[in-house]
Amino acid sequence: MRDFEDPGRWDAAARHYATTAHPFTARYAEAALKRVPLGPADRVLDVAAGTGALALAAARTGAQVLAIDFSPGMVARIAEAGLPTIEARVMDGQALGLPDGSVDGGFDAVFSIFGVIMFPDWRRGLAEMARVTRPGGYGVVATWRREGAATFLLLSEVRRRLFPGIEGMAMPDGVIGLSDPEAFADALVEAGYRDPCIEVVTYDYALEVAALADPEALFGMSQDWARLTESQRAAIIGEIRRMAKGRPVLPVPSTALIGAARR
């Protein structure tokens, strides 16, 4: 089992994730929401919701939201928000314990923001999303480009430059499989959606240089970081400080693909 397939790993990361990753992924969640017209009568499912960047944003539209994740720690973070229009449950996105979508039921919109791409069987995850979407409803998925994003992208770039002989971590199969827009569109159709539209979205991840004092909080989820020795880690941190050139924030441009389709 790879680290990102282990719910315990995500449980341990939930506290750091809420403060380091959530504010950044929320920008892509907002971009994804713009692809779907939502209102107070709509039902939304957030698959592999993490700490709820999409779920919380969808709730602000007045929609009724079910947020699911296989990590109890992540689900607990969403529940702590205490919003009456969000229900949070522990559930496997590859086998949703939910009825099929129909003209009389199902979800008006099903989202997965950097979630289904982490599944061991990401195709099954997409098919499950489509299964519970009502006819005419929407499915929206966000994936990183093959190089990754934010601290993962920065660490990978610096590691390759300083230590080219060290093999980098393998990206999740879903990231590789969906990193090409045409392949992404085909995968949505194969899952049961139609008329896919794939858009490229780039935002800067603002890495606060002061946060390098606690590098484990920034890079601890990366297998690249785990493979480095203490001296190599120190060299990585030193190089990132040099790249910042005395600025308090180092921008890391991070590109995602957002795919939206109808059921």
mmCIF file with all atom_site columns, all heavy atoms in Angstrom, residues 239-260:
data_model
loop_
_atom_site.group_PDB
_atom_site.id
_atom_site.type_symbol
_atom_site.label_atom_id
_atom_site.label_alt_id
_atom_site.label_comp_id
_atom_site.label_asym_id
_atom_site.label_entity_id
_atom_site.label_seq_id
_atom_site.pdbx_PDB_ins_code
_atom_site.Cartn_x
_atom_site.Cartn_y
_atom_site.Cartn_z
_atom_site.occupancy
_atom_site.B_iso_or_equiv
_atom_site.pdbx_formal_charge
_atom_site.auth_seq_id
_atom_site.auth_comp_id
_atom_site.auth_asym_id
_atom_site.auth_atom_id
_atom_site.pdbx_PDB_model_num
ATOM 1   N N   . GLU A 1 239 ? 18.367  25.463 -0.272  1.00 0.00 ? 239 GLU A N   1
ATOM 2   C CA  . GLU A 1 239 ? 18.149  25.864 -1.671  1.00 0.00 ? 239 GLU A CA  1
ATOM 3   C C   . GLU A 1 239 ? 16.828  26.623 -1.830  1.00 0.00 ? 239 GLU A C   1
ATOM 4   O O   . GLU A 1 239 ? 16.750  27.605 -2.575  1.00 0.00 ? 239 GLU A O   1
ATOM 5   C CB  . GLU A 1 239 ? 18.153  24.627 -2.571  1.00 0.00 ? 239 GLU A CB  1
ATOM 6   C CG  . GLU A 1 239 ? 17.840  24.888 -4.030  1.00 0.00 ? 239 GLU A CG  1
ATOM 7   C CD  . GLU A 1 239 ? 18.848  25.788 -4.736  1.00 0.00 ? 239 GLU A CD  1
ATOM 8   O OE1 . GLU A 1 239 ? 19.917  26.057 -4.153  1.00 0.00 ? 239 GLU A OE1 1
ATOM 9   O OE2 . GLU A 1 239 ? 18.544  26.216 -5.870  1.00 0.00 ? 239 GLU A OE2 1
ATOM 10  N N   . ILE A 1 240 ? 15.796  26.189 -1.114  1.00 0.00 ? 240 ILE A N   1
ATOM 11  C CA  . ILE A 1 240 ? 14.519  26.901 -1.201  1.00 0.00 ? 240 ILE A CA  1
ATOM 12  C C   . ILE A 1 240 ? 14.651  28.306 -0.620  1.00 0.00 ? 240 ILE A C   1
ATOM 13  O O   . ILE A 1 240 ? 14.117  29.275 -1.174  1.00 0.00 ? 240 ILE A O   1
ATOM 14  C CB  . ILE A 1 240 ? 13.414  26.109 -0.474  1.00 0.00 ? 240 ILE A CB  1
ATOM 15  C CG1 . ILE A 1 240 ? 13.153  24.782 -1.207  1.00 0.00 ? 240 ILE A CG1 1
ATOM 16  C CG2 . ILE A 1 240 ? 12.121  26.922 -0.403  1.00 0.00 ? 240 ILE A CG2 1
ATOM 17  C CD1 . ILE A 1 240 ? 12.203  23.859 -0.485  1.00 0.00 ? 240 ILE A CD1 1
ATOM 18  N N   . ARG A 1 241 ? 15.398  28.442 0.461   1.00 0.00 ? 241 ARG A N   1
ATOM 19  C CA  . ARG A 1 241 ? 15.637  29.779 1.028   1.00 0.00 ? 241 ARG A CA  1
ATOM 20  C C   . ARG A 1 241 ? 16.391  30.648 0.025   1.00 0.00 ? 241 ARG A C   1
ATOM 21  O O   . ARG A 1 241 ? 16.096  31.851 -0.113  1.00 0.00 ? 241 ARG A O   1
ATOM 22  C CB  . ARG A 1 241 ? 16.418  29.666 2.333   1.00 0.00 ? 241 ARG A CB  1
ATOM 23  C CG  . ARG A 1 241 ? 15.635  29.039 3.490   1.00 0.00 ? 241 ARG A CG  1
ATOM 24  C CD  . ARG A 1 241 ? 16.429  29.116 4.780   1.00 0.00 ? 241 ARG A CD  1
ATOM 25  N NE  . ARG A 1 241 ? 15.779  28.413 5.872   1.00 0.00 ? 241 ARG A NE  1
ATOM 26  C CZ  . ARG A 1 241 ? 14.786  28.910 6.590   1.00 0.00 ? 241 ARG A CZ  1
ATOM 27  N NH1 . ARG A 1 241 ? 14.330  30.124 6.337   1.00 0.00 ? 241 ARG A NH1 1
ATOM 28  N NH2 . ARG A 1 241 ? 14.255  28.193 7.575   1.00 0.00 ? 241 ARG A NH2 1
ATOM 29  N N   . ARG A 1 242 ? 17.342  30.043 -0.671  1.00 0.00 ? 242 ARG A N   1
ATOM 30  C CA  . ARG A 1 242 ? 18.094  30.807 -1.678  1.00 0.00 ? 242 ARG A CA  1
ATOM 31  C C   . ARG A 1 242 ? 17.169  31.249 -2.807  1.00 0.00 ? 242 ARG A C   1
ATOM 32  O O   . ARG A 1 242 ? 17.251  32.385 -3.281  1.00 0.00 ? 242 ARG A O   1
ATOM 33  C CB  . ARG A 1 242 ? 19.225  29.944 -2.236  1.00 0.00 ? 242 ARG A CB  1
ATOM 34  C CG  . ARG A 1 242 ? 20.170  30.699 -3.188  1.00 0.00 ? 242 ARG A CG  1
ATOM 35  C CD  . ARG A 1 242 ? 20.991  29.759 -4.033  1.00 0.00 ? 242 ARG A CD  1
ATOM 36  N NE  . ARG A 1 242 ? 20.162  28.981 -4.948  1.00 0.00 ? 242 ARG A NE  1
ATOM 37  C CZ  . ARG A 1 242 ? 19.660  29.458 -6.084  1.00 0.00 ? 242 ARG A CZ  1
ATOM 38  N NH1 . ARG A 1 242 ? 19.873  30.729 -6.429  1.00 0.00 ? 242 ARG A NH1 1
ATOM 39  N NH2 . ARG A 1 242 ? 18.923  28.694 -6.863  1.00 0.00 ? 242 ARG A NH2 1
ATOM 40  N N   . MET A 1 243 ? 16.266  30.366 -3.228  1.00 0.00 ? 243 MET A N   1
ATOM 41  C CA  . MET A 1 243 ? 15.319  30.696 -4.292  1.00 0.00 ? 243 MET A CA  1
ATOM 42  C C   . MET A 1 243 ? 14.419  31.860 -3.889  1.00 0.00 ? 243 MET A C   1
ATOM 43  O O   . MET A 1 243 ? 14.000  32.651 -4.731  1.00 0.00 ? 243 MET A O   1
ATOM 44  C CB  . MET A 1 243 ? 14.471  29.477 -4.628  1.00 0.00 ? 243 MET A CB  1
ATOM 45  C CG  . MET A 1 243 ? 15.234  28.342 -5.283  1.00 0.00 ? 243 MET A CG  1
ATOM 46  S SD  . MET A 1 243 ? 14.272  26.790 -5.332  1.00 0.00 ? 243 MET A SD  1
ATOM 47  C CE  . MET A 1 243 ? 12.871  27.286 -6.338  1.00 0.00 ? 243 MET A CE  1
ATOM 48  N N   . ALA A 1 244 ? 14.103  31.951 -2.607  1.00 0.00 ? 244 ALA A N   1
ATOM 49  C CA  . ALA A 1 244 ? 13.216  33.019 -2.132  1.00 0.00 ? 244 ALA A CA  1
ATOM 50  C C   . ALA A 1 244 ? 13.883  34.386 -2.176  1.00 0.00 ? 244 ALA A C   1
ATOM 51  O O   . ALA A 1 244 ? 13.196  35.413 -2.195  1.00 0.00 ? 244 ALA A O   1
ATOM 52  C CB  . ALA A 1 244 ? 12.753  32.709 -0.717  1.00 0.00 ? 244 ALA A CB  1
ATOM 53  N N   . LYS A 1 245 ? 15.212  34.422 -2.175  1.00 0.00 ? 245 LYS A N   1
ATOM 54  C CA  . LYS A 1 245 ? 15.975  35.677 -2.297  1.00 0.00 ? 245 LYS A CA  1
ATOM 55  C C   . LYS A 1 245 ? 15.550  36.713 -1.257  1.00 0.00 ? 245 LYS A C   1
ATOM 56  O O   . LYS A 1 245 ? 15.401  37.901 -1.548  1.00 0.00 ? 245 LYS A O   1
ATOM 57  C CB  . LYS A 1 245 ? 15.817  36.264 -3.701  1.00 0.00 ? 245 LYS A CB  1
ATOM 58  C CG  . LYS A 1 245 ? 16.324  35.359 -4.810  1.00 0.00 ? 245 LYS A CG  1
ATOM 59  C CD  . LYS A 1 245 ? 16.095  35.964 -6.178  1.00 0.00 ? 245 LYS A CD  1
ATOM 60  C CE  . LYS A 1 245 ? 16.600  35.026 -7.288  1.00 0.00 ? 245 LYS A CE  1
ATOM 61  N NZ  . LYS A 1 245 ? 16.352  35.587 -8.643  1.00 0.00 ? 245 LYS A NZ  1
ATOM 62  N N   . GLY A 1 246 ? 15.336  36.239 -0.039  1.00 0.00 ? 246 GLY A N   1
ATOM 63  C CA  . GLY A 1 246 ? 15.003  37.153 1.046   1.00 0.00 ? 246 GLY A CA  1
ATOM 64  C C   . GLY A 1 246 ? 13.547  37.553 1.125   1.00 0.00 ? 246 GLY A C   1
ATOM 65  O O   . GLY A 1 246 ? 13.151  38.256 2.061   1.00 0.00 ? 246 GLY A O   1
ATOM 66  N N   . ARG A 1 247 ? 12.738  37.121 0.168   1.00 0.00 ? 247 ARG A N   1
ATOM 67  C CA  . ARG A 1 247 ? 11.310  37.441 0.204   1.00 0.00 ? 247 ARG A CA  1
ATOM 68  C C   . ARG A 1 247 ? 10.612  36.575 1.246   1.00 0.00 ? 247 ARG A C   1
ATOM 69  O O   . ARG A 1 247 ? 10.988  35.428 1.456   1.00 0.00 ? 247 ARG A O   1
ATOM 70  C CB  . ARG A 1 247 ? 10.665  37.190 -1.158  1.00 0.00 ? 247 ARG A CB  1
ATOM 71  C CG  . ARG A 1 247 ? 11.170  38.100 -2.270  1.00 0.00 ? 247 ARG A CG  1
ATOM 72  C CD  . ARG A 1 247 ? 10.632  37.647 -3.625  1.00 0.00 ? 247 ARG A CD  1
ATOM 73  N NE  . ARG A 1 247 ? 11.185  36.339 -3.997  1.00 0.00 ? 247 ARG A NE  1
ATOM 74  C CZ  . ARG A 1 247 ? 10.840  35.683 -5.101  1.00 0.00 ? 247 ARG A CZ  1
ATOM 75  N NH1 . ARG A 1 247 ? 9.934   36.189 -5.926  1.00 0.00 ? 247 ARG A NH1 1
ATOM 76  N NH2 . ARG A 1 247 ? 11.395  34.509 -5.373  1.00 0.00 ? 247 ARG A NH2 1
ATOM 77  N N   . PRO A 1 248 ? 9.576   37.085 1.896   1.00 0.00 ? 248 PRO A N   1
ATOM 78  C CA  . PRO A 1 248 ? 8.875   36.287 2.911   1.00 0.00 ? 248 PRO A CA  1
ATOM 79  C C   . PRO A 1 248 ? 8.022   35.175 2.324   1.00 0.00 ? 248 PRO A C   1
ATOM 80  O O   . PRO A 1 248 ? 7.695   34.211 3.020   1.00 0.00 ? 248 PRO A O   1
ATOM 81  C CB  . PRO A 1 248 ? 8.014   37.317 3.641   1.00 0.00 ? 248 PRO A CB  1
ATOM 82  C CG  . PRO A 1 248 ? 7.805   38.407 2.638   1.00 0.00 ? 248 PRO A CG  1
ATOM 83  C CD  . PRO A 1 248 ? 9.064   38.469 1.833   1.00 0.00 ? 248 PRO A CD  1
ATOM 84  N N   . VAL A 1 249 ? 7.663   35.300 1.038   1.00 0.00 ? 249 VAL A N   1
ATOM 85  C CA  . VAL A 1 249 ? 6.805   34.308 0.387   1.00 0.00 ? 249 VAL A CA  1
ATOM 86  C C   . VAL A 1 249 ? 7.411   33.918 -0.957  1.00 0.00 ? 249 VAL A C   1
ATOM 87  O O   . VAL A 1 249 ? 7.834   34.784 -1.729  1.00 0.00 ? 249 VAL A O   1
ATOM 88  C CB  . VAL A 1 249 ? 5.379   34.860 0.176   1.00 0.00 ? 249 VAL A CB  1
ATOM 89  C CG1 . VAL A 1 249 ? 4.536   33.883 -0.642  1.00 0.00 ? 249 VAL A CG1 1
ATOM 90  C CG2 . VAL A 1 249 ? 4.709   35.137 1.513   1.00 0.00 ? 249 VAL A CG2 1
ATOM 91  N N   . LEU A 1 250 ? 7.454   32.623 -1.217  1.00 0.00 ? 250 LEU A N   1
ATOM 92  C CA  . LEU A 1 250 ? 7.930   32.110 -2.503  1.00 0.00 ? 250 LEU A CA  1
ATOM 93  C C   . LEU A 1 250 ? 6.735   31.553 -3.269  1.00 0.00 ? 250 LEU A C   1
ATOM 94  O O   . LEU A 1 250 ? 6.108   30.584 -2.826  1.00 0.00 ? 250 LEU A O   1
ATOM 95  C CB  . LEU A 1 250 ? 8.964   30.999 -2.278  1.00 0.00 ? 250 LEU A CB  1
ATOM 96  C CG  . LEU A 1 250 ? 9.487   30.300 -3.537  1.00 0.00 ? 250 LEU A CG  1
ATOM 97  C CD1 . LEU A 1 250 ? 10.275  31.273 -4.410  1.00 0.00 ? 250 LEU A CD1 1
ATOM 98  C CD2 . LEU A 1 250 ? 10.348  29.093 -3.155  1.00 0.00 ? 250 LEU A CD2 1
ATOM 99  N N   . PRO A 1 251 ? 6.377   32.139 -4.416  1.00 0.00 ? 251 PRO A N   1
ATOM 100 C CA  . PRO A 1 251 ? 5.250   31.613 -5.192  1.00 0.00 ? 251 PRO A CA  1
ATOM 101 C C   . PRO A 1 251 ? 5.651   30.357 -5.964  1.00 0.00 ? 251 PRO A C   1
ATOM 102 O O   . PRO A 1 251 ? 6.732   30.302 -6.563  1.00 0.00 ? 251 PRO A O   1
ATOM 103 C CB  . PRO A 1 251 ? 4.908   32.761 -6.148  1.00 0.00 ? 251 PRO A CB  1
ATOM 104 C CG  . PRO A 1 251 ? 6.195   33.506 -6.313  1.00 0.00 ? 251 PRO A CG  1
ATOM 105 C CD  . PRO A 1 251 ? 6.937   33.366 -5.013  1.00 0.00 ? 251 PRO A CD  1
ATOM 106 N N   . VAL A 1 252 ? 4.774   29.343 -5.933  1.00 0.00 ? 252 VAL A N   1
ATOM 107 C CA  . VAL A 1 252 ? 5.013   28.098 -6.653  1.00 0.00 ? 252 VAL A CA  1
ATOM 108 C C   . VAL A 1 252 ? 3.835   27.885 -7.603  1.00 0.00 ? 252 VAL A C   1
ATOM 109 O O   . VAL A 1 252 ? 2.772   27.413 -7.186  1.00 0.00 ? 252 VAL A O   1
ATOM 110 C CB  . VAL A 1 252 ? 5.131   26.907 -5.685  1.00 0.00 ? 252 VAL A CB  1
ATOM 111 C CG1 . VAL A 1 252 ? 5.466   25.629 -6.463  1.00 0.00 ? 252 VAL A CG1 1
ATOM 112 C CG2 . VAL A 1 252 ? 6.183   27.172 -4.616  1.00 0.00 ? 252 VAL A CG2 1
ATOM 113 N N   . PRO A 1 253 ? 3.976   28.265 -8.892  1.00 0.00 ? 253 PRO A N   1
ATOM 114 C CA  . PRO A 1 253 ? 2.858   28.086 -9.834  1.00 0.00 ? 253 PRO A CA  1
ATOM 115 C C   . PRO A 1 253 ? 2.473   26.613 -9.941  1.00 0.00 ? 253 PRO A C   1
ATOM 116 O O   . PRO A 1 253 ? 3.317   25.754 -10.183 1.00 0.00 ? 253 PRO A O   1
ATOM 117 C CB  . PRO A 1 253 ? 3.432   28.609 -11.163 1.00 0.00 ? 253 PRO A CB  1
ATOM 118 C CG  . PRO A 1 253 ? 4.578   29.489 -10.767 1.00 0.00 ? 253 PRO A CG  1
ATOM 119 C CD  . PRO A 1 253 ? 5.158   28.869 -9.535  1.00 0.00 ? 253 PRO A CD  1
ATOM 120 N N   . SER A 1 254 ? 1.183   26.333 -9.751  1.00 0.00 ? 254 SER A N   1
ATOM 121 C CA  . SER A 1 254 ? 0.691   24.957 -9.718  1.00 0.00 ? 254 SER A CA  1
ATOM 122 C C   . SER A 1 254 ? -0.511  24.831 -10.642 1.00 0.00 ? 254 SER A C   1
ATOM 123 O O   . SER A 1 254 ? -1.490  25.573 -10.498 1.00 0.00 ? 254 SER A O   1
ATOM 124 C CB  . SER A 1 254 ? 0.307   24.569 -8.292  1.00 0.00 ? 254 SER A CB  1
ATOM 125 O OG  . SER A 1 254 ? 1.415   24.714 -7.408  1.00 0.00 ? 254 SER A OG  1
ATOM 126 N N   . THR A 1 255 ? -0.432  23.881 -11.569 1.00 0.00 ? 255 THR A N   1
ATOM 127 C CA  . THR A 1 255 ? -1.454  23.755 -12.602 1.00 0.00 ? 255 THR A CA  1
ATOM 128 C C   . THR A 1 255 ? -2.323  22.517 -12.384 1.00 0.00 ? 255 THR A C   1
ATOM 129 O O   . THR A 1 255 ? -1.824  21.432 -12.085 1.00 0.00 ? 255 THR A O   1
ATOM 130 C CB  . THR A 1 255 ? -0.800  23.673 -13.987 1.00 0.00 ? 255 THR A CB  1
ATOM 131 O OG1 . THR A 1 255 ? -0.067  24.885 -14.226 1.00 0.00 ? 255 THR A OG1 1
ATOM 132 C CG2 . THR A 1 255 ? -1.842  23.506 -15.078 1.00 0.00 ? 255 THR A CG2 1
ATOM 133 N N   . ALA A 1 256 ? -3.624  22.724 -12.519 1.00 0.00 ? 256 ALA A N   1
ATOM 134 C CA  . ALA A 1 256 ? -4.591  21.632 -12.411 1.00 0.00 ? 256 ALA A CA  1
ATOM 135 C C   . ALA A 1 256 ? -5.446  21.585 -13.668 1.00 0.00 ? 256 ALA A C   1
ATOM 136 O O   . ALA A 1 256 ? -5.539  22.561 -14.423 1.00 0.00 ? 256 ALA A O   1
ATOM 137 C CB  . ALA A 1 256 ? -5.483  21.842 -11.191 1.00 0.00 ? 256 ALA A CB  1
ATOM 138 N N   . LEU A 1 257 ? -6.061  20.435 -13.895 1.00 0.00 ? 257 LEU A N   1
ATOM 139 C CA  . LEU A 1 257 ? -7.104  20.296 -14.893 1.00 0.00 ? 257 LEU A CA  1
ATOM 140 C C   . LEU A 1 257 ? -8.420  20.094 -14.168 1.00 0.00 ? 257 LEU A C   1
ATOM 141 O O   . LEU A 1 257 ? -8.498  19.302 -13.221 1.00 0.00 ? 257 LEU A O   1
ATOM 142 C CB  . LEU A 1 257 ? -6.839  19.087 -15.800 1.00 0.00 ? 257 LEU A CB  1
ATOM 143 C CG  . LEU A 1 257 ? -5.564  19.097 -16.638 1.00 0.00 ? 257 LEU A CG  1
ATOM 144 C CD1 . LEU A 1 257 ? -5.453  17.778 -17.415 1.00 0.00 ? 257 LEU A CD1 1
ATOM 145 C CD2 . LEU A 1 257 ? -5.547  20.263 -17.585 1.00 0.00 ? 257 LEU A CD2 1
ATOM 146 N N   . ILE A 1 258 ? -9.443  20.813 -14.590 1.00 0.00 ? 258 ILE A N   1
ATOM 147 C CA  . ILE A 1 258 ? -10.776 20.639 -14.027 1.00 0.00 ? 258 ILE A CA  1
ATOM 148 C C   . ILE A 1 258 ? -11.692 20.152 -15.146 1.00 0.00 ? 258 ILE A C   1
ATOM 149 O O   . ILE A 1 258 ? -11.866 20.831 -16.164 1.00 0.00 ? 258 ILE A O   1
ATOM 150 C CB  . ILE A 1 258 ? -11.319 21.938 -13.409 1.00 0.00 ? 258 ILE A CB  1
ATOM 151 C CG1 . ILE A 1 258 ? -10.437 22.358 -12.231 1.00 0.00 ? 258 ILE A CG1 1
ATOM 152 C CG2 . ILE A 1 258 ? -12.763 21.760 -12.939 1.00 0.00 ? 258 ILE A CG2 1
ATOM 153 C CD1 . ILE A 1 258 ? -10.853 23.667 -11.580 1.00 0.00 ? 258 ILE A CD1 1
ATOM 154 N N   . GLY A 1 259 ? -12.241 18.961 -14.934 1.00 0.00 ? 259 GLY A N   1
ATOM 155 C CA  . GLY A 1 259 ? -13.122 18.371 -15.933 1.00 0.00 ? 259 GLY A CA  1
ATOM 156 C C   . GLY A 1 259 ? -14.552 18.372 -15.436 1.00 0.00 ? 259 GLY A C   1
ATOM 157 O O   . GLY A 1 259 ? -14.831 17.937 -14.312 1.00 0.00 ? 259 GLY A O   1
ATOM 158 N N   . ALA A 1 260 ? -15.467 18.873 -16.254 1.00 0.00 ? 260 ALA A N   1
ATOM 159 C CA  . ALA A 1 260 ? -16.889 18.895 -15.907 1.00 0.00 ? 260 ALA A CA  1
ATOM 160 C C   . ALA A 1 260 ? -17.673 18.209 -17.025 1.00 0.00 ? 260 ALA A C   1
ATOM 161 O O   . ALA A 1 260 ? -17.370 18.380 -18.216 1.00 0.00 ? 260 ALA A O   1
ATOM 162 C CB  . ALA A 1 260 ? -17.390 20.321 -15.723 1.00 0.00 ? 260 ALA A CB  1
#
